[in-house]
Amino acid sequence: MNAIDSSTPSELVVVTGASTGIGRATARRLAADGFHVLAGVRTEAAAAEVKAEHVEPVLLDITDERQVAALADRVRGDRRPLRAVVNNAGIAVNAPIEALPLAEWRRQFDVTVFGQVAVIQALMPALLRSKGRVVNIGSTGGKVAMPAFGAYSGAKFAMEAVSDSLRREVEPFGVSVAVIVPGAVRTRLTERGGATSARLAEAMTPEQCTRYAGLMKAFRATTESWGTHGLDAAVVADAVSRAVHARKPRTRYTVGRDAAVMTRLTHLVPDRLLDRMVRRTMGL
Ligand SMILES: NC(=O)c1ccc[n+]([C@@H]2O[C@H](COP(=O)([O-])OP(=O)(O)OC[C@H]3O[C@@H](n4cnc5c(N)ncnc54)[C@H](OP(=O)(O)O)[C@@H]3O)[C@@H](O)[C@H]2O)c1
């Protein structure tokens, strides 16, 4: 995966998880905005696809320290400033907390927390040099934790805290940090997460199956409806573009009506009322 053309355009951006969904749309959008986009992908097939969209593929599994180090080398070896890193790569591991093996918790946090932190650490020297910005793709799941979303929301809540802490650490040195908070978006996350949760459901004990049958049915119906009625990923890419271009980026960009309503509710509504609203939303 060699550099395409290191003479133009004049600034770099990095987008992780750019093979599909929000990352792919973001890479395409930022390339159209005029950036040289380094797009993190995990297969040669995905590399070929993104290359056709005028972005430079970089082999990047964010849980692989050597690949993260190679990305930092690639950025360091380029004379163009790094305007932004878009931390997008993510997975969804959904099951009731009682029934979710620790290895699966670790997998969720390895990608969604530690992998993202590894990318931030590796690229911080370049961001400090260029006074660039970190754009983390959060989620409404990082604001409200629905049942069966303990691991996913745990990781997304964690990244909310990491983003706040990071902003307060590096803003004095000219690096800004923004979180994009999308509601439901039509991507492969639903189908991939659905396959994971079906596998996890099969491994539940008979008692757990009985206890959580209603919840898992409601979870499937809810996520399938997100997969059908969610926003186009390009709408999220527009918000990322605004965060990358703004003279003074906002700390958070909420994308979608569902995200706006849920985020607002968390500030206004007591826990017990929110519990009832969440259950009603899931049809429980
Ligand atoms: N879809 C939604 O409704 C929604 C809502 C709010 C927030 N989000 C967030 O948006 C982000 C992107 O998700 P998406 O909806 O666009 O789903 P997606 O289409 O499944 O895309 C996920 C991307 O992450 C990559 N990825 C997974 N594990 C990785 C790893 N270890 N290292 C590097 N890349 C990895 C995938 O690469 P491979 O193709 O190689 O697996 C893929 O490019 C996630 O952080 C997600 O939590 C999604």
Side-chain angles (χ1 to χ4, degrees), residues 15 36 52 75 87 99 105 107 133 137 220 222 239 277-278:
V15 180
H36 183 87
V75 169
N87 261 313
W105 280 89
R107 198 164 70 85
R133 45 196 70 177
I137 307 298
R220 280 192 296 277
T222 303
M277 295 172 89
V278 165

Side-chain angles (χ1 to χ4, degrees), residues 38-283:
L38 300 176
V41 292
R42 295 196 294 172
T43 64
E44 289 295 339
E49 281 181 25
V50 300
K51 215 169 185 172
E53 295 180 341
H54 309 293
V55 305
E56 178 184 333
V58 180
L59 195 61
L60 182 66
D61 182 322
I62 61 171
T63 66
D64 182 325
E65 287 178 21
R66 274 184 305 186
Q67 290 184 2
V68 173
L71 169 68
D73 286 345
R74 167 68 190 84
V75 169
R76 196 180 310 113
D78 198 302
R79 57 192 166 70
R80 294 169 290 196
L82 178 63
R83 168 77 78 98
V85 53
V86 183
N87 261 313
N88 165 77
I91 57 171
V93 179
N94 295 94
I97 289 169
E98 175 197 352
L100 186 57
L102 280 179
E104 296 288 343
W105 280 89
R106 291 197 176 99
R107 198 164 70 85
Q108 177 74 73
F109 275 70
D110 272 347
V111 178
T112 310
V113 181
F114 305 130
Q116 303 215 356
V117 170
V119 170
I120 291 168
Q121 288 179 337
L123 296 181
M124 190 50 72
L127 289 168
L128 287 163
R129 271 196 305 278
S130 60
K131 300 198 187 307
R133 45 196 70 177
V134 176
V135 181
N136 291 331
I137 307 298
S139 170
T140 312
K143 302 289 182 186
V144 179
M146 297 169 80
F149 282 80
Y152 181 82
S153 280
K156 288 295 192 187
F157 269 72
M159 282 310 294
E160 288 282 331
V162 169
S163 301
D164 281 339
S165 192
L166 183 69
R167 188 181 67 251
R168 291 163 188 155
E169 288 168 4
V170 297
E171 221 170 43
F173 308 107
V175 176
S176 52
V177 180
V179 185
I180 310 293
V181 186
V185 186
R186 285 192 314 275
T187 69
R188 294 193 58 200
L189 196 72
T190 309
E191 159 204 336
R192 290 165 158 175
T196 302
S197 63
R199 174 173 56 75
L200 293 167
E202 274 173 25
M204 286 187 206
T205 64
E207 293 76 19
Q208 289 169 343
C209 279
T210 307
R211 195 154 39 247
Y212 297 119
L215 171 57
M216 293 314 284
K217 188 162 173 249
F219 161 77
R220 280 192 296 277
T222 303
T223 52
E224 276 162 21
S225 96
W226 292 344
T228 314
H229 302 298
L231 292 173
D232 193 289
V235 181
V236 185
D238 288 344
V240 176
S241 174
R242 285 199 299 281
V244 169
H245 285 283
R247 196 179 57 78
K248 192 170 178 357
R250 284 160 35 191
T251 58
R252 283 180 174 76
Y253 293 78
T254 301
V255 184
R257 194 172 167 276
D258 52 346
V261 169
M262 290 306 260
T263 302
R264 185 70 54 85
L265 280 178
T266 59
H267 297 299
L268 299 176
V269 169
D271 287 346
R272 295 287 183 203
L273 180 53
L274 195 55
D275 290 352
R276 287 198 291 278
M277 295 172 89
V278 165
R279 290 184 68 79
R280 202 172 317 126
T281 304
M282 289 183 79

